[in-house]
Amino acid sequence: MLLRHTTEKEIDRKALTINPAKTCQPVGAMYAALGVHGCLPHSHGSQGCCSYHRSALTRHYKEPVMAATSSFTEGSSVFGGQANLLQAIGTIFSVYDPDIIAVHSTCLSETIGDDLKQIVAKANADGKVPDGKHVIEASTPSYVGSHVTGYHNMLQSIVQHFAIKTDEAKRQVNLLAGWVEPSDMRELKRISKMMGIKTVLVPDTSDVLDAPMTGKFEMYPKGGTTIPELVSMGDSMKTVAIGEWATKGAAIALDNNCKVPFDMLDLPIGVKATDRFIMSLSKAGAVAVPEEIDRERGRLVDMITDMHQYFYGKRVALFGDPDQLLPLCEFLLDLDMVPAYVVSGTPGKTFGKRMKEIFGDKIDQVKFKNGANADMFQLHQWIKQEGVDLLIGNTYGKYIALDEKIPFLRMGFPIVDRVGHSYFPTLGYMGGIRILEKILDLLMQYQDENSPEEKVELVM
């Protein structure tokens, strides 16, 4: 394969990205919008852009993704897409009847300078938005940031539009979910329910992108955060935001606009990150941690102890989203594994700082990079220089894994050649057990297949 010609020698590249470790902003904006009940995402750009965003999500979740588009032509590409969007808003409400239209921009509409706020304001002024319906907008140019940035911007827009502070304080906690699977969002709700805490989870793609087969088409599945729940967020006691790159803007907006304080946490991947999440929930809801959660933690620790010999000293290369990579590196260190190479295409200066905090005096053992010039070609070059025992990332890592004959754990977005990620969580203590199971299966399978025949045992 072509990747076999990747060289060990690194050449300084300031204006070239090869095999990006990310996708574009509108994909993330669309995913966030789908986590709101009765919401139809709208791509303000060409039909091709919308088709790509929909297909990227459909291939990952194996579910139909509904979205609309402004359908730019040559004329709108030159003179602007305001007329297209105004017409689209009227058509969408009359034909598809959503409660919310969530408009996100694209490269094209951003480049020609379309002002979404002004266009949406004009749509309201012209009476194109029926009573009780909503149009929200988010700026998501594809040439800046990544899919995580788009998710962040749309989530912030959702919170700013709906959350309202009243005089009626509510005994509930806001949960702002970073980019995770529908199964993970369901796990967050399960944990909250076990602790006896009423939460408002936003976005919530469970029962939207993992909906059951009923034989009946539903344009707007039963899942998703409802409008009344979104409005009530302004009266909550506390916000727990998990995943800084995806949720920070929304958490700050709730604090500034509604005076709801927040805790900014990592995604609860592994023991320590889940510990912090559980304790933050416990404090926010003023409840004790139930015994069953302690027992789940104990089972995870027991599995780590039982299988430590297989983890110890194994070198790992990782790529993906910062919100996932940081707690995952922390978890791997707890297993006495060695996260050797870490790459994320999502920019953000905090990444390097957090990596240094997590690795401490072990920071010299890891090479890491994030931003536009951090790509999978760079990761492959590092692996060429010194190999690893395990590769973790989305489906696009399979070519490196095949070329280098490395066990490959699929995590992150997108995963298009396997199933299960939408149904089995990787968050929380039970999610940690799932990650360990998958790592162990790969390492032990590799050991079985590559041991000399005379050394093969029933238990290796």
Side-chain angles (χ1 to χ4, degrees):
M1 294 175 70
L2 183 61
L3 291 187
R4 291 176 188 152
H5 300 286
T6 301
T7 61
E8 296 180 18
K9 183 180 178 181
E10 297 178 48
I11 300 173
D12 187 33
R13 295 181 285 117
K14 294 183 179 179
L16 175 65
T17 301
I18 306 172
N19 290 338
K22 63 170 187 174
T23 187
C24 62
Q25 281 204 51
V27 176
M30 190 176 287
Y31 182 52
L34 290 167
V36 176
H37 182 71
C39 182
L40 184 68
H42 181 92
S43 179
H44 186 52
S46 68
Q47 288 176 304
C49 288
C50 186
S51 295
Y52 167 68
H53 308 149
R54 291 178 64 191
S55 65
L57 293 168
T58 295
R59 292 174 73 198
H60 176 84
Y61 295 107
K62 307 296 187 290
E63 293 287 337
V65 171
M66 299 295 112
T69 174
S70 295
S71 298
F72 276 28
T73 59
E74 292 87 347
S76 47
S77 300
V78 175
F79 301 109
Q82 174 171 294
N84 292 49
L85 182 53
L86 291 174
Q87 182 179 356
I89 288 172
T91 302
I92 290 167
F93 279 125
S94 62
V95 176
Y96 300 109
D97 193 30
D99 295 323
I100 307 163
I101 300 174
V103 183
H104 59 262
S105 60
T106 60
C107 299
L108 190 53
S109 56
E110 288 281 347
T111 301
I112 62 179
D114 274 358
D115 185 345
L116 288 184
K117 286 186 181 295
Q118 175 267 321
I119 298 173
V120 170
K122 180 172 175 55
N124 280 286
D126 291 351
K128 292 185 178 294
V129 182
D131 291 341
K133 305 289 186 177
H134 305 266
V135 179
I136 61 176
E137 87 292 322
S139 175
T140 57
S142 299
Y143 45 76
V144 178
S146 73
H147 56 290
V148 181
T149 317
Y151 182 101
H152 169 278
N153 293 349
M154 181 56 76
L155 178 57
Q156 181 177 343
S157 180
I158 291 168
V159 167
Q160 287 177 327
H161 183 90
F162 288 103
I164 297 174
K165 180 76 170 178
T166 69
D167 296 329
E168 184 184 348
K170 291 182 170 56
R171 189 170 178 77
Q172 66 182 27
V173 175
N174 300 326
L175 263 181
L176 298 180
W179 185 311
V180 294
E181 300 288 341
S183 52
D184 293 311
M185 294 182 180
R186 183 173 284 107
E187 179 70 2
L188 293 173
K189 292 189 290 186
R190 185 187 74 89
I191 291 172
S192 302
K193 185 175 180 180
M194 285 174 64
M195 296 182 70
I197 301 172
K198 182 183 179 183
T199 58
V200 177
L201 176 66
V202 58
D204 180 8
T205 58
S206 63
D207 287 320
V208 177
L209 290 171
D210 64 348
M213 173 62 74
T214 62
K216 181 181 178 182
F217 173 73
E218 291 181 308
M219 184 79 177
Y220 309 106
K222 295 181 180 178
T225 315
T226 64
I227 291 177
E229 288 174 328
L230 291 171
V231 171
S232 74
M233 295 178 76
D235 291 323
S236 296
M237 301 182 294
K238 188 78 175 279
T239 296
V240 177
I242 55 172
E244 178 178 346
W245 270 259
T247 65
K248 186 174 183 178
I252 292 174
L254 277 167
D255 192 8
N256 290 342
N257 299 341
C258 304
K259 306 305 177 188
V260 180
F262 66 89
D263 285 345
M264 181 60 62
L265 304 176
D266 292 322
L267 291 178
I269 296 174
V271 180
K272 290 178 181 175
T274 303
D275 286 350
R276 294 192 293 270
F277 172 66
I278 295 296
M279 293 314 297
S280 177
L281 267 187
S282 173
K283 185 177 179 181
V287 297
V289 178
E291 181 184 358
E292 182 52 37
I293 287 182
D294 285 337
R295 295 184 68 82
E296 287 184 5
R297 184 185 191 276
R299 285 190 282 271
L300 173 57
V301 173
D302 182 60
M303 188 174 184
I304 294 172
T305 306
D306 289 344
M307 310 307 287
H308 180 260
Q309 60 178 321
Y310 297 100
F311 300 125
Y312 182 80
K314 294 293 190 298
R315 290 167 52 81
V316 187
L318 309 91
F319 67 96
D321 303 340
D323 286 333
Q324 189 175 63
L325 293 175
L326 292 169
L328 188 55
C329 282
E330 183 180 51
F331 189 31
L332 294 176
L333 288 170
D334 286 342
L335 302 177
D336 281 329
M337 299 182 83
V338 182
Y341 312 126
V342 184
V343 165
S344 176
T346 301
K349 295 180 180 179
T350 312
F351 186 75
K353 179 182 176 182
R354 287 299 321 282
M355 286 290 287
K356 291 174 183 177
E357 290 174 357
I358 289 169
F359 279 83
D361 58 5
K362 297 180 180 179
I363 191 64
D364 292 337
Q365 75 181 13
V366 60
K367 290 183 179 180
F368 64 90
K369 191 174 183 180
N370 77 303
N373 292 325
D375 52 37
M376 293 172 64
F377 185 81
Q378 175 77 78
L379 182 70
H380 196 187
Q381 286 187 307
W382 286 343
I383 293 172
K384 287 279 189 182
Q385 292 165 13
E386 185 177 357
V388 294
D389 302 295
L390 180 67
L391 177 63
I392 301 178
N394 63 52
T395 288
Y396 287 94
K398 73 185 292 182
Y399 302 111
I400 296 175
L402 289 171
D403 279 349
E404 303 300 329
K405 296 179 173 53
I406 307 169
F408 179 36
L409 171 57
R410 289 160 173 81
M411 284 188 69
F413 177 89
I415 299 173
V416 299
D417 61 339
R418 296 291 189 276
V419 295
H421 45 275
S422 299
Y423 303 103
F424 301 103
T426 56
L427 298 190
Y429 300 124
M430 297 306 294
I433 291 175
R434 170 72 173 167
I435 294 172
L436 292 188
E437 177 205 9
K438 291 172 75 69
I439 291 176
L440 284 166
D441 281 350
L442 289 166
L443 294 178
M444 297 171 84
Q445 180 72 20
Y446 184 84
Q447 188 178 32
D448 283 343
E449 291 177 350
N450 292 276
S451 291
E453 186 174 338
E454 65 273 13
K455 293 187 177 180
V456 173
E457 298 284 352
L458 183 64
V459 180
M460 299 291 287

